[in-house]
Amino acid sequence: MSAAPFHCCCDHESPALNSYSCTKMDQPSGRSFMQVLCEKYSPENFPYRRGPGMGVHVPATPQGSPMKDRLNLPSVLVLNSCGITCAGDEREIAAFCAHVSELDLSDNKLEDWHEVSKIVSNVPQLEFLNLSSNPLNLSVLERTCAGSFSGVRKLVLNNSKASWETVHTILQELPDLEELFLCLNDYETVSCSSICCHSLKLLHITDNNLQDWTEIRKLGVMFPSLDTLVLANNHLNAIEEPDDSLARLFPNLRSISLHKSGLQSWEDIDKLNSFPKLEEVRLLGIPLLQPYTTEERRKLVIARLPSVSKLNGSVVTDGEREDSERFFIRYYVDVPKEEVPFRYHELITKYGRLEPLAEVDLRPQSSVKVEVHFNDQVEEMNIRLDQTVAELKKQLKTLVQLPTSNMLLYYFDQEAPFGPEEMKYSSRALHSFGIRDGDKIYVESKTK
């Protein structure tokens, strides 16, 4: 490095650690970003390069302090749950993190956006930043600070309780932001920004309390290029929007998750057809589908959404779609006219009127009628197939007037090419012979 040497001390007992304390280190539990970085990625704790990283050479100091001469820093830094409260020496951050592209600072104690800005402004290649579960709602994000985030493409603010004012400031200063995570932030409303963010493709806003469609529609106004919208675990109760307006609100939406929403009407499912590019839908755990069987849920939803190619994470094949659409016709065939959905008539045009499927009982037979031959006698009788050969002999004892110990049984399959089969194993179950109605059983005496 051409600049003056930067020192990174990894010895916990060295007074050099004081150089990584931040201006408000009167909190005894507080630690700086630079301090944690040196500790975690020292050669002792992180001896090899992992992934596409690089080693950073740090010249030894003339004082002969116990310095480590190299940090093996990967391009992806994970410093979550480390008690970080501040940045530390910005020159050190710039020297060590010039190549870092992803940074996870989740679940720390960062509460000042200025400290976050000091870190991020010295990581010029940064594209992914996770600030989840930091108490950043305790300070105001100024535009000058937000400007340091300008290269970030993926930003995670889950459980940060970030206000919509903070979100708007970020959106104004991040022209290339593509993915935004705003989960677990206790939002009950959405505050619409005066400026649209055309770069955003994916928005995760799960586990909030957005119940009213008037709030969700604001997301379409703010993010017109949205490709994926994840609304899981909100309590959205209905999609109240004219079809033509839905198409204008979300013209590029390809995937939507309404998992565990509060939707209760099939009309809400039909509304999804208004999104012109929608291909993937997640609808598990909604009240509307609770009364139906697993098969009915999937088939009825597939039949109503002709453009969707993936439902609840599973690909909808052409064969499954045809089966579902035929199932849909038969499901509504006996429903009163006024209750039949419009999709039924569309599918009748496609397939015509279908007869109900014949009910076929596939349960195995429990008994059969056979002919019992003994000497010159022939008797028809019903026998249970769940009994054994020994039990059948007891049943025949009265008919043929022979003790079971003196009885030989032969089974004759009327369609088999071979002769009779001796039923010589007393414990063998009758169903294992494949006996059918009309087959014959011959009884002979051993002392004949």
Side-chain angles (χ1 to χ4, degrees):
M1 293 178 288
S2 56
F6 300 113
H7 307 307
C8 177
C9 181
C10 301
D11 189 321
H12 291 212
E13 298 181 357
S14 171
L17 272 180
N18 293 333
S19 64
Y20 304 112
S21 62
C22 49
T23 55
K24 43 182 186 177
M25 280 296 283
D26 47 311
Q27 306 136 306
S29 61
R31 307 171 75 203
S32 74
F33 170 83
M34 203 58 223
Q35 176 185 349
V36 170
L37 187 72
C38 288
E39 291 173 1
K40 179 168 183 178
Y41 292 101
S42 71
E44 292 175 355
N45 298 329
F46 201 83
Y48 304 106
R49 300 183 191 181
R50 299 181 184 179
M54 61 183 292
V56 181
H57 177 69
V58 185
T61 60
Q63 290 85 359
S65 300
M67 307 297 290
K68 307 299 180 183
D69 64 352
R70 180 172 294 276
L71 285 183
N72 290 314
L73 293 186
S75 60
V76 177
L77 296 185
V78 180
L79 299 174
N80 63 309
S81 305
C82 293
I84 298 171
T85 59
C86 59
D89 193 309
E90 291 186 64
R91 296 178 306 156
E92 296 276 0
I93 298 173
F96 287 105
C97 299
H99 66 293
V100 171
S101 60
E102 297 188 17
L103 179 57
D104 182 355
L105 292 174
S106 61
D107 199 24
N108 279 292
K109 298 178 181 179
L110 289 162
E111 60 182 52
D112 189 340
W113 281 104
H114 286 280
E115 294 300 322
V116 177
S117 177
K118 289 176 186 178
I119 297 170
V120 175
S121 62
N122 289 291
V123 189
Q125 303 300 319
L126 191 64
E127 294 189 349
F128 172 88
L129 177 61
N130 187 353
L131 293 171
S132 296
S133 300
N134 281 281
L136 289 165
N137 59 315
L138 300 178
S139 66
V140 176
L141 175 61
E142 299 170 0
R143 288 193 64 176
T144 51
C145 282
S148 63
F149 295 71
S150 61
V152 173
R153 295 177 180 273
K154 300 177 183 179
L155 179 62
V156 186
L157 295 174
N158 297 338
N159 197 34
S160 65
K161 314 307 178 192
S163 68
W164 282 109
E165 181 183 2
T166 294
V167 173
H168 295 163
T169 302
I170 289 171
L171 294 176
Q172 290 178 47
E173 299 300 321
L174 275 66
D176 299 319
L177 186 65
E178 296 176 357
E179 298 182 8
L180 179 60
F181 295 74
L182 297 174
C183 310
L184 294 162
N185 282 334
D186 298 333
Y187 297 137
E188 295 183 357
T189 61
V190 174
S191 175
C192 204
S193 172
S194 58
I195 300 175
C196 293
C197 178
H198 290 275
S199 61
L200 198 73
K201 307 296 183 189
L202 180 148
L203 176 63
H204 274 253
I205 193 165
T206 70
D207 298 279
N208 286 287
N209 194 24
L210 299 171
Q211 299 185 34
D212 199 327
W213 177 257
T214 56
E215 304 305 321
I216 304 301
R217 74 185 312 278
K218 296 173 187 175
L219 301 175
V221 174
M222 281 197 290
F223 309 117
S225 302
L226 209 59
D227 170 277
T228 301
L229 176 58
V230 185
L231 288 167
N233 295 318
N234 281 281
H235 302 287
L236 178 66
N237 48 40
I239 301 176
E240 298 170 330
E241 191 82 32
D243 293 351
D244 56 343
S245 178
L246 277 177
R248 292 194 299 272
L249 274 175
F250 294 95
N252 297 294
L253 193 66
R254 186 194 57 79
S255 174
I256 188 169
S257 173
L258 294 165
H259 177 65
K260 290 191 176 179
S261 64
L263 299 181
Q264 302 182 51
S265 167
W266 281 112
E267 285 70 25
D268 293 320
I269 308 303
D270 293 335
K271 289 278 187 184
L272 300 177
N273 289 311
S274 299
F275 300 130
K277 295 185 179 180
L278 193 67
E279 298 175 355
E280 181 176 356
V281 175
R282 290 181 181 267
L283 285 169
L284 292 173
I286 65 174
L288 168 67
L289 299 178
Q290 294 308 310
Y292 298 91
T293 66
T294 301
E295 179 189 28
E296 289 171 344
R297 290 171 193 169
R298 185 166 176 86
K299 287 186 173 180
L300 293 177
V301 171
I302 289 172
R304 284 180 179 264
L305 301 175
S307 298
V308 168
S309 57
K310 186 180 283 189
L311 176 63
N312 298 329
S314 299
V315 172
V316 179
T317 64
D318 291 341
E320 184 183 19
R321 174 161 297 287
E322 181 173 342
D323 287 346
S324 298
E325 291 175 346
R326 289 178 177 274
F327 177 89
F328 188 91
I329 292 174
R330 292 188 173 101
Y331 188 87
Y332 285 101
V333 70
D334 294 324
V335 172
K337 252 184 190 178
E338 61 275 12
E339 297 178 22
V340 171
F342 179 73
R343 181 63 176 156
Y344 173 84
H345 301 291
E346 292 180 333
L347 293 175
I348 287 292
T349 303
K350 182 176 180 179
Y351 295 105
R353 297 189 181 277
L354 304 177
E355 294 297 324
L357 292 174
E359 292 189 11
V360 180
D361 188 355
L362 298 177
R363 292 174 298 179
Q365 270 187 289
S366 60
S367 64
V368 292
K369 182 180 284 189
V370 298
E371 290 182 359
V372 178
H373 293 250
F374 177 63
N375 294 333
D376 295 327
Q377 301 176 45
V378 178
E379 292 283 344
E380 281 192 345
M381 67 183 300
N382 288 311
I383 61 172
R384 293 191 346 267
L385 295 176
D386 61 347
Q387 64 183 332
T388 63
V389 171
E391 291 169 327
L392 175 60
K393 286 182 178 181
K394 290 179 183 178
Q395 184 181 353
L396 295 173
K397 182 179 177 181
T398 304
L399 176 67
V400 300
Q401 296 296 306
L402 287 174
T404 56
S405 59
N406 197 30
M407 200 183 295
L408 294 174
L409 300 185
Y410 297 88
Y411 162 59
F412 181 71
D413 182 349
Q414 56 188 336
E415 296 183 5
F418 310 107
E421 176 185 356
E422 183 178 355
M423 305 171 77
K424 58 184 177 181
Y425 299 109
S426 297
S427 61
R428 183 174 174 182
L430 298 188
H431 64 74
S432 67
F433 290 93
I435 302 173
R436 290 167 293 181
D437 288 327
D439 287 348
K440 300 173 182 179
I441 292 177
Y442 291 87
V443 185
E444 294 184 1
S445 171
K446 289 183 180 179
T447 58
K448 183 177 173 180

